[in-house]
Amino acid sequence: MKPITLANLIDGELRAPVGAAYLDVYEPATGKVYARCPHSNARDVEAAMQAAQRAAPAWAALPNAERARHLHRLADAIDARLDELAGEESRDNGKPVKLARSVDIPRAVANLRFFAEAITQWSSEAHIDARAINVTLRQPIGVIGCISPWNLPLYLFTWKIAPALAAGNTVVAKPSEITPFTAFRLAELAVECGFPRGVLNIVHGTGPGAGQAIVEHPHIKAVSFTGSTRTGAMIAAEAAKSFKKVSLEMGGKNPAIVFADADLADANLDTIVRSGFSNQGEICLCGSRLLVERSIYAEFKRRYISRVQALRVGDPNDDASDLGALVSQPHFEKVMACIQRAREEGGTLACGGAAVAVAGRCADGWFIAPTVIEGLPQDCASNREEIFGPVVTLIPFESEAEAITIANGTDYGLAASLWTRDLARAERVAARIDFGIVWINCWMLRDLRTPFGGMKHSGVGREGGTDALRFFTEPKNICINRS
Ligand code: NAD
């Protein structure tokens, strides 16, 4: 079958890249190329930036409610194609269609609607005393660069674009070259629903190509990035040269801590399993280190492993599949190498550990069995470094203090979950662990108003709610003398 050719969105038009170069896009479940996306270069980014710059004054001048209306129309267009887009997201990323249908695409709609509503409630601050009235305006920054990863493609792409646009900026955005399809569909929908020209520009391409050109561009004033810590460090260094504002959402090595007094009813155990293996473990928030209090370790492990073994790995199109394919061959190989490394570090496999052969159309896909490893030293690479696949390490602990030490024993600090009936303990531990998000007796329960992001090597800044609107605006304080 002839691959589908994707295009950039520049100045309200779908355009081929100026260099006419393309990258292969694979369907992870089959291992076959099914599309090609623009391999854009600095000239494409320049054209997008110029379109964004031209569109900026009129977009910024629109009443908030008018910008909100445009975002709602885009949300409506996505919502109306939920099933279609869920199938496309799954084909591009390897995740089960049922997950894309229930999480990814509805969340993209929610992101657009949330920030459309939020901007209508956004107001300037005033600080008044006898001497002066200080009014702090929050003005759009100008042209923003948005760079997103492959694991939750449309979900994270819209998570950046929506607040940037709502706040009155124009955007040059680059989705991951590994999963560009739904960003291309978003471009088509933007054209279809009459999104104003040049306000949203989508340039496809690689990190070192189009991505770097965005970060280096002197007229792109801020960059919102989600991806690996390695890339985030490069972006921070590059952006510092021109004093760009940056928001960095990066990797994680998240602990799920199960205390002996936890309510381990089936539903909670299912959430703990999901927290490790949802989206094949390819969610930055996945709990990949499962810390379990020693007194319940054996019984917990028995129940946990039997549930993990019951997860079905298979064709993402099949609603019976709990896990689909890993996103790419290099990523599949990386995760398999991590499993091998864990063995060399002294770990033993409690389950999984191997590739899964899926018969039929998926025979050449990149599937890995959900894998649980125990017996590893706490400070080995497997317990400190992000694997970003269906791999969880089981770690026993003796006391609350030890659990805190183990949880903090990594350079990352994105998210943690605590499982206990003792709320005093939950509060104590939550206060002492270095993670930007702490869930107590739940996981991935998201309220878009809350600050989202990580500490340490997991992030710089916060997105979500008013934190996002603050990032995407420049405060200007005007002091009026009252005397
Ligand atoms: P990545 O860093 O390889 O790529 C992310 C994006 O950055 C892609 O669009 C890529 O093309 C671009 N990029 C790469 N090099 C660049 C450069 N030099 N200049 C500009 N752009 C560049 O990450 P990935 O492999 O796509 O995603 C997986 C990673 O993302 C994991 O580490 C995961 O934890 C992280 N992640 C974090 C969050 C969060 O909210 N903290 C959410 C999802 C994923």
Side-chain angles (χ1 to χ4, degrees):
M1 212 174 63
K2 203 163 164 267
I4 307 163
T5 299
L6 314 189
N8 291 329
L9 172 66
I10 297 177
D11 206 12
E13 289 169 0
L14 296 173
R15 286 194 200 164
V18 288
Y22 288 87
L23 300 159
D24 285 339
V25 183
Y26 290 84
E27 177 176 5
T30 63
K32 296 191 174 54
V33 173
Y34 82 96
R36 45 185 217 142
C37 94
H39 187 356
S40 309
N41 60 29
R43 285 192 291 154
D44 299 290
V45 170
E46 180 61 33
M49 200 290 305
Q50 287 192 13
Q53 228 175 14
R54 282 193 300 276
W59 180 250
L62 280 184
N64 287 349
E66 197 56 26
R67 287 202 299 277
R69 199 178 59 80
H70 284 294
L71 292 176
H72 276 305
R73 284 182 65 184
L74 201 50
D76 292 342
I78 297 173
D79 210 9
R81 291 161 185 83
L82 170 65
D83 285 332
E84 200 182 311
L85 285 163
E88 289 165 345
E89 196 71 295
S90 161
R91 180 179 58 186
D92 209 28
N93 169 276
K95 67 181 71 209
V97 173
K98 69 178 178 193
L99 189 69
R101 198 190 299 122
S102 60
V103 176
D104 293 71
I105 308 304
R107 176 57 191 276
V109 173
N111 289 339
L112 290 160
R113 294 208 193 288
F114 175 82
F115 285 106
E117 297 295 332
I119 201 64
T120 65
Q121 310 299 316
W122 180 240
S123 54
S124 306
E125 297 144 37
H127 301 89
I128 303 165
D129 68 12
R131 300 162 306 153
I133 299 175
N134 282 280
V135 179
T136 312
L137 305 182
R138 292 225 154 238
Q139 297 181 308
I141 298 172
V143 181
I144 309 279
C146 296
I147 299 177
S148 61
W150 49 255
N151 64 320
L152 300 166
L154 193 63
Y155 173 136
L156 289 174
F157 199 57
T158 50
W159 180 235
K160 300 184 170 308
I161 287 169
L165 294 175
N169 304 286
T170 54
V171 164
V172 176
K174 193 197 86 61
S176 169
E177 63 276 30
I178 299 169
T179 54
F181 202 85
T182 48
F184 166 66
R185 296 284 287 123
L186 184 74
E188 288 186 326
L189 295 177
V191 173
E192 209 175 291
C193 64
F195 217 76
R197 289 175 83 100
V199 168
L200 171 61
N201 302 277
I202 299 176
V203 181
H204 293 275
T206 63
Q212 182 115 2
I214 290 174
V215 178
E216 284 175 353
H217 202 292
H219 296 138
I220 293 182
K221 301 290 182 205
V223 173
S224 169
F225 165 80
T226 300
S228 64
T229 298
R230 209 177 120 259
T231 306
M234 289 194 289
I235 289 179
E238 189 57 49
K241 293 183 194 161
S242 52
F243 301 102
K244 281 188 174 56
K245 222 176 166 184
V246 283
S247 166
L248 306 173
E249 300 291 346
M250 303 180 286
K253 187 71 180 175
N254 310 308
I257 308 177
V258 182
F259 289 96
D261 64 3
D263 174 359
L264 293 174
D266 287 351
N268 287 346
L269 209 53
D270 286 343
T271 303
I272 296 172
V273 170
R274 206 163 47 82
S275 79
F277 298 104
S278 190
N279 205 44
Q280 302 75 242
E282 297 164 333
I283 303 182
C284 54
L285 304 167
C286 276
S288 54
R289 295 182 292 149
L290 184 46
L291 280 53
V292 182
E293 194 159 351
R294 175 90 64 188
S295 59
I296 59 159
Y297 186 87
E299 173 60 8
F300 176 88
K301 178 183 150 191
R302 187 189 61 74
R303 290 181 63 207
Y304 176 75
I305 296 296
S306 80
R307 278 184 151 66
V308 174
Q309 283 174 325
L311 293 173
R312 274 167 298 197
V313 179
D315 188 338
N317 289 343
D318 183 351
D319 276 351
S321 300
D322 299 302
L323 279 76
L326 272 74
V327 75
S328 67
Q329 182 159 13
H331 190 59
F332 167 88
E333 284 166 5
K334 180 206 146 177
V335 174
M336 291 304 290
C338 287
I339 294 171
Q340 180 55 27
R341 178 186 63 186
R343 285 175 153 145
E344 286 157 14
E345 287 176 327
T348 53
L349 289 171
C351 68
V356 175
V358 176
R361 78 172 196 107
C362 296
D364 294 325
W366 303 306
F367 298 88
I368 296 181
T371 299
V372 180
I373 304 170
E374 62 177 344
L376 284 161
Q378 281 157 29
D379 60 351
C380 66
S382 302
N383 274 331
R384 282 186 292 105
E385 292 173 15
E386 185 180 49
I387 297 173
F388 216 55
V391 181
V392 169
T393 59
L394 268 181
I395 308 169
F397 67 86
E398 302 289 347
S399 64
E400 188 178 304
E402 194 192 9
I404 292 168
T405 305
I406 298 172
N408 286 338
T410 155
D411 287 336
Y412 295 107
L414 186 53
S417 59
L418 309 180
W419 295 87
T420 174
R421 283 195 177 91
D422 180 346
L423 280 185
R425 185 214 298 272
E427 274 185 45
R428 229 171 23 239
V429 176
R432 291 185 55 201
I433 54 176
D434 301 329
F435 293 87
I437 300 156
V438 180
W439 280 295
I440 294 168
N441 298 324
C442 58
W443 177 72
M444 224 172 146
L445 194 57
R446 292 278 292 117
D447 179 327
L448 303 189
R449 293 170 299 184
T450 60
F452 177 91
M455 298 179 181
K456 292 160 61 176
H457 293 192
S458 288
V460 174
R462 295 290 184 275
E463 296 188 345
T466 49
D467 287 82
L469 294 178
R470 282 174 185 276
F471 174 76
F472 288 115
T473 50
E474 194 73 84
K476 180 186 286 174
N477 195 68
I478 300 171
C479 175
I480 307 165
N481 187 350
R482 298 184 79 188
S483 63

